[in-house]
Amino acid sequence: MKNNTLIRAAVIFWLVFNFLFLKAWAKDNYQELILPEGKVVIGITREEAFNKYGMPALVKKDIWYYQRGEKFYIYFADPTSLKLIPEQISATVGKTLEFKLIAILPDSHIKDVTQTAELYLSHPGNFSILSPATLIPKYHGNYQVFMRYGNSYSNPSEVRVEPAIHQDKGKEELIAIDILPFKPKAEMESNINFIALGTSYSQKLIRVRDISQEVQWFKIDVTENKSTQARNNRFYFPAHGIYRIFSATKNLQSYPQEVEVSRNKVTKAKGLKHIMIVPGSISVGLGTEIYPRAYGTFYDNRVEDLTLKVKWSVKGSKILNREEPLGWLTVSPGIAELIAESDGILSLPFKISVNPNMAVAETNTRIPPQTVSRDALKDAKNNLKNIKDRRQNSGVALGRFREVKIMPENLTIPLGESGALKAVGIRHEGGEEDITSFSRWEVTDAEYAAVEKGQVNTKSLGQTEVYVSYGLLKSKPCVLIIDKARLISLKVTPQTQEIKHNDKNKHLEATGYFSDDSVEDMTSKAAWVIENNRLIKIDKGRIIPVKNGETKVHAEYGDVKSLPAQVMILPVKFWLLYLVLKFLFFVFLIILFYLLICYFLVKRLMKKVISLSRQPREFIIELYANLIKLLSIHGIRHDQFTAHLEFAALVDKKYCLKSELLREITLVFEEAKYSTHVFYAQDSCQFAADYNKFINIIYSSYNRSRLFSRKLLTLIHICYTFINLA
């Protein structure tokens, strides 16, 4: 009976604990919201807000307004439950862990109750407890931490502890990279010089130095979703938009700095904008010398080392000793904070966790704060009212989601078409929910597009940005590009075309229909595809008939095809006869032209020969050489090693010349060429007569067809001879 009672009590306790745990898990987390009116901070108590930001410029019942830097608001949310942060954390053995417990109290206040809460560990013996929420793990493993405040329990925090990292003595190790200037603003076609600051650890010495020339630099164009590697630390910004700059080594990467580039000229205020202490947060052992540096970012994007100019304040003075002029020495375990101040600007705290058993220094991730600037109060009251009205009218719990986003982040739509965007709410525990129909959509330039419940309707060519708001949350912009209208269809006219074989003036036309309801003549731009390209050719819509027949034609442009049109090539009456006569006439013209050329060439050759007749010796030698070439045309070639008389005997024998006419001609030739005898005109005439007689004897031995071909070759030879003589 006693055992049953204990079991029943354990079950009731477990149900109550799970109810409280699930309730706490689903509630608010500490957030910074970016609204059209500016930045809104929630999840912070009035005491914390006053200590962190000082006196507000304007105070309402549940909203404070500040003008330090860019304007921002602090909203004190409605009560929910307990929240232990962080919800998940990874560390190494010996590294200091710090937790915070946020309580949303029944009096509508949010309060840090860490120091008054009770800590619970899944394995208490594996940790050293420095304070109610500050631990040092002794052994690696996976653990759970939760806290109790009054009768309420927080959500558990998952802790993953890795084995400690051991460093070689005397070896300097780079443990963190930070880059500046802090969130610079620039105009188009301007340059900004960035610097990279490296935090290194060696033999219980931590120092900071400029490593700008030792790291690789990268630029991310958020608008174009494009990443590039830079040559050096000087960056050029050609177009407006949002860019992210970061540097990296083989093992480390800095947190990116966001650069806002404006179309218009940026009016830069004078003075200091922001102070950053490098490194931002660090865990070290006892006896470690730390030399932090304070860097100031000015409104003109200039960076200056202010380490010696700022006023330093320390929280936890028993943990650190000042080593003049720039150093600090860790002397006892615990957590200390350093804050730098100059010109009324406070840096974020530089937190130092001192663990007596820690041998290696480690840095924590730096969370970039929001930039503050000196803005006027003229819109503050209206913005406060807008924030309150938005909360009251939305009917949405302030902390239901930790952020909202638009999917996709970039969308390109042809003009005249519609697209779809989706709004997604990201819960604190990591889940997602579609809130497209319940969100408020905004377009930066309404002349380009309109968005309603995620449906995008285009209006004109251009680029704009789309935002979605859900309660007090507002998404990052979705870049919407309205591109030129898309070709939807092609139409070929006429659908049936009859063309005669001799008709050269028939055309096909291609008409394009686009997504914005516009119409364009695509005849010269489209590609024409012919089913049987042996029948017709098409040149920019003009039909060129080749053969009689029927085929189909369609137009193509990109991926769009038209329906086919039918083309029929009709025969012309007596078209075959017309083609034959046309061909014969063309051949006749060629022959006539050739004969005319030959006639004039022969006439000129005759004049040349007649002129040589006055010089009998040269006439006889030239005419004999021509005879030898004619014989080679008729298939009897004279070998240069064969004597002329021997060659003449062979020719006389082939043609059965009993008179041995060629031998007599050869004797006259040799006499003219090799002797000094005097020759007269009658000798030239007798030699020409024998020449003609011998040619007639050769031609008489051929039939008509062979004789025509031989004469044609002879004519060609005469033309060639004339060209050589010329």
Side-chain angles (χ1 to χ4, degrees):
M1 187 70 178
K2 183 177 180 180
N3 290 338
N4 292 337
T5 303
L6 290 174
I7 292 172
R8 192 178 298 110
V11 170
I12 293 173
F13 173 79
W14 176 252
L15 291 174
V16 172
F17 175 79
N18 275 276
F19 172 76
L20 294 172
F21 162 75
L22 292 174
K23 182 179 178 182
W25 179 267
K27 296 302 178 181
D28 294 351
N29 193 7
Y30 179 63
Q31 302 178 59
E32 290 182 353
L33 311 178
I34 305 302
L35 305 180
E37 295 79 12
K39 182 180 73 174
V40 178
V41 179
I42 64 172
I44 189 171
T45 67
R46 287 172 171 80
E47 180 182 356
E48 289 176 323
F50 186 82
N51 291 335
K52 185 172 183 179
Y53 302 108
M55 179 65 67
L58 194 63
V59 177
K60 290 293 182 179
K61 180 180 178 181
D62 51 3
I63 298 179
W64 287 2
Y65 168 70
Y66 286 86
Q67 59 173 354
R68 299 177 57 201
E70 66 181 57
K71 60 185 179 182
F72 67 100
Y73 307 84
I74 299 179
Y75 177 74
F76 303 104
D78 292 336
T80 52
S81 184
L82 296 178
K83 187 68 175 180
L84 180 63
I85 53 178
E87 296 181 5
Q88 293 182 344
I89 188 171
S90 296
T92 57
V93 173
K95 181 179 179 180
T96 304
L97 304 177
E98 186 179 14
F99 298 89
K100 280 192 177 183
L101 182 65
I102 305 299
I104 304 178
L105 304 176
D107 60 355
S108 300
H109 291 169
I110 300 177
K111 185 178 180 181
D112 183 353
V113 296
T114 308
Q115 300 303 319
T116 58
E118 197 173 349
L119 182 69
Y120 291 89
L121 298 169
S122 58
H123 297 79
N126 290 355
F127 292 85
S128 297
I129 302 176
L130 302 181
S131 70
T134 306
L135 314 172
I136 299 176
K138 299 178 182 179
Y139 307 102
H140 67 88
N142 296 323
Y143 306 97
Q144 278 193 340
V145 178
F146 64 95
M147 300 186 77
R148 175 183 175 185
Y149 179 74
N151 294 323
S152 299
Y153 291 88
S154 73
N155 58 289
S157 176
E158 303 292 334
V159 180
R160 180 180 180 85
V161 180
E162 301 288 349
I165 301 172
H166 298 286
Q167 181 186 358
D168 295 337
K169 292 183 178 181
K171 182 180 178 181
E172 185 177 74
E173 180 184 5
L174 188 67
I175 58 177
I177 303 175
D178 293 277
I179 65 171
L180 290 171
F182 177 80
K183 290 197 173 180
K185 293 185 178 181
E187 57 196 49
M188 289 172 52
E189 299 182 350
S190 62
N191 296 283
I192 298 179
N193 290 323
F194 283 81
I195 65 170
L197 303 168
T199 302
S200 58
Y201 174 80
S202 174
Q203 293 184 337
K204 294 200 172 185
L205 173 65
I206 292 178
R207 63 188 183 95
V208 178
R209 62 185 180 88
D210 188 342
I211 58 171
S212 303
Q213 306 306 318
E214 302 173 23
V215 297
Q216 293 179 320
W217 292 90
F218 299 87
K219 178 170 71 172
I220 300 174
D221 187 338
V222 179
T223 306
E224 299 291 337
N225 194 22
K226 181 173 64 176
S227 176
T228 57
Q229 183 175 348
R231 294 182 179 178
N232 51 43
N233 60 328
R234 182 176 177 85
F235 288 86
Y236 173 70
F237 301 96
H240 78 283
I242 302 297
Y243 298 84
R244 293 194 178 101
I245 307 298
F246 68 93
S247 64
T249 62
K250 185 177 180 180
N251 301 318
L252 286 177
Q253 178 178 314
S254 71
Y255 191 89
Q257 289 289 359
E258 189 171 279
V259 183
E260 180 181 345
V261 180
S262 173
R263 284 194 183 98
N264 304 320
K265 185 176 180 61
V266 177
T267 303
K268 297 176 181 177
K270 296 181 179 179
L272 183 64
K273 179 175 75 171
H274 179 268
I275 299 175
M276 176 188 285
I277 300 178
V278 182
S281 181
I282 197 165
S283 298
V284 296
L286 287 173
T288 302
E289 292 182 65
I290 306 172
Y291 290 88
R293 305 184 77 87
Y295 287 87
T297 298
F298 292 79
Y299 284 99
D300 60 358
N301 298 330
R302 180 168 49 89
V303 178
E304 183 179 337
D305 188 347
L306 304 177
T307 307
L308 295 174
K309 299 178 181 180
V310 297
K311 179 184 177 181
W312 292 90
S313 58
V314 59
K315 180 181 177 182
S317 56
K318 295 181 180 180
I319 299 172
L320 300 175
N321 276 350
R322 184 70 179 264
E323 298 286 326
E324 296 294 343
L326 303 175
W328 302 82
L329 180 66
T330 58
V331 294
S332 63
I335 298 176
E337 293 182 355
L338 291 177
I339 297 176
E341 180 182 0
S342 179
D343 296 337
I345 304 295
L346 294 175
S347 71
L348 286 178
F350 166 39
K351 187 171 293 187
I352 305 170
S353 299
V354 182
N355 178 5
N357 300 319
M358 193 166 189
V360 178
E362 294 182 355
T363 59
N364 298 327
T365 303
R366 181 190 295 276
I367 301 175
Q370 294 291 325
T371 306
V372 292
S373 61
R374 298 182 179 91
D375 293 330
L377 283 171
K378 59 181 181 180
D379 296 327
K381 292 184 179 181
N382 292 333
N383 290 339
L384 290 173
K385 183 177 182 303
N386 291 341
I387 294 174
K388 292 187 67 176
D389 292 344
R390 184 181 299 173
R391 171 181 171 266
Q392 293 171 359
N393 297 333
S394 66
V396 180
L398 184 63
R400 181 176 178 181
F401 302 110
R402 60 180 171 86
E403 68 171 308
V404 294
K405 64 180 182 180
I406 301 176
M407 299 176 62
E409 297 180 356
N410 299 280
L411 181 63
T412 300
I413 307 177
L415 181 63
E417 295 191 5
S418 59
L421 293 173
K422 181 179 179 181
V424 177
I426 310 299
R427 300 191 187 93
H428 296 290
E429 64 270 19
E432 295 184 356
E433 182 177 335
D434 187 350
I435 55 173
T436 305
S437 301
F438 309 104
S439 304
R440 184 173 66 258
W441 295 86
E442 301 174 21
V443 181
T444 304
D445 300 303
E447 60 181 295
Y448 297 125
V451 182
E452 183 177 357
K453 293 185 177 180
Q455 190 71 20
V456 182
N457 296 313
T458 57
K459 297 181 179 179
S460 61
L461 291 174
Q463 179 174 322
T464 185
E465 293 179 342
V466 179
Y467 295 85
V468 67
S469 299
Y470 187 81
L472 293 180
L473 295 176
K474 187 173 183 178
S475 70
K476 293 180 180 179
C478 166
V479 178
L480 178 62
I481 300 174
I482 296 90
D483 204 353
K484 62 182 181 180
R486 183 175 64 88
L487 180 64
I488 297 176
S489 63
L490 282 171
K491 182 178 180 181
V492 176
T493 54
Q495 281 292 296
T496 302
Q497 180 71 281
E498 293 183 353
I499 178 172
K500 293 183 178 180
H501 202 280
N502 61 345
D503 195 346
K504 305 294 183 180
N505 296 317
K506 294 292 185 179
H507 291 77
L508 293 175
E509 293 183 354
T511 305
Y513 297 87
F514 291 81
S515 57
D516 60 346
D517 297 330
S518 62
V519 179
E520 183 180 341
D521 185 0
M522 303 291 290
T523 304
S524 59
K525 298 179 181 178
W528 294 92
V529 181
I530 306 168
E531 187 176 275
N532 187 353
N533 54 16
R534 292 180 298 176
L535 300 181
I536 62 171
K537 305 292 182 185
I538 296 181
D539 181 22
K540 295 182 179 180
R542 185 171 69 91
I543 303 174
I544 304 172
V546 178
K547 293 174 63 177
N548 295 335
E550 182 177 329
T551 186
K552 292 182 179 180
V553 178
H554 69 267
E556 290 185 3
Y557 188 83
D559 297 330
V560 180
K561 297 181 181 179
S562 69
L563 292 174
Q566 192 170 22
V567 178
M568 292 178 286
I569 298 89
L570 304 177
V572 181
K573 195 173 183 180
F574 305 118
W575 69 275
L576 182 59
L577 178 62
Y578 170 77
L579 289 179
V580 172
L581 292 176
K582 187 176 180 180
F583 174 75
L584 292 176
F585 179 72
F586 180 72
V587 172
F588 171 75
L589 288 178
I590 292 176
I591 294 173
L592 180 62
F593 180 73
Y594 180 75
L595 291 177
L596 285 174
I597 292 175
C598 292
Y599 172 76
F600 286 111
L601 293 178
V602 170
K603 293 290 288 182
R604 294 192 65 178
L605 183 61
M606 288 175 64
K607 290 180 181 180
K608 179 72 175 179
V609 173
I610 291 171
S611 66
L612 291 175
S613 64
R614 297 172 186 174
Q615 300 174 355
R617 185 185 299 275
E618 287 76 7
F619 176 80
I620 292 171
I621 293 172
E622 186 66 30
L623 201 58
Y624 185 83
N626 190 60
L627 179 62
I628 295 299
K629 292 178 181 178
L630 287 175
L631 287 173
S632 67
I633 292 174
H634 291 273
I636 307 173
R637 296 184 179 277
H638 174 250
D639 188 356
Q640 60 179 344
F641 300 106
T642 304
H644 291 288
L645 290 174
E646 184 180 353
F647 176 71
L650 291 174
V651 174
D652 288 338
K653 183 178 180 180
K654 179 177 180 179
Y655 289 101
C656 302
L657 300 178
K658 297 180 179 180
S659 60
E660 297 181 346
L661 182 58
L662 183 58
R663 185 174 183 278
E664 294 179 1
I665 293 173
T666 304
L667 288 172
V668 176
F669 160 73
E670 288 187 342
E671 183 180 359
K673 186 172 183 180
Y674 301 112
S675 73
T676 58
H677 296 170
V678 178
F679 285 84
Y680 300 98
Q682 57 268 28
D683 296 326
S684 300
C685 294
Q686 181 62 43
F687 190 84
D690 292 340
Y691 174 88
N692 291 330
K693 183 179 179 181
F694 181 77
I695 293 299
N696 290 330
I697 291 172
I698 292 175
Y699 285 161
S700 64
S701 64
Y702 296 109
N703 56 33
R704 290 184 178 181
S705 60
R706 291 190 65 190
L707 181 61
F708 175 77
S709 64
R710 297 299 175 179
K711 286 187 176 182
L712 184 61
L713 292 173
T714 303
L715 191 58
I716 294 172
H717 166 68
I718 292 173
C719 296
Y720 176 74
T721 302
F722 172 77
I723 293 172
N724 287 338
L725 289 174

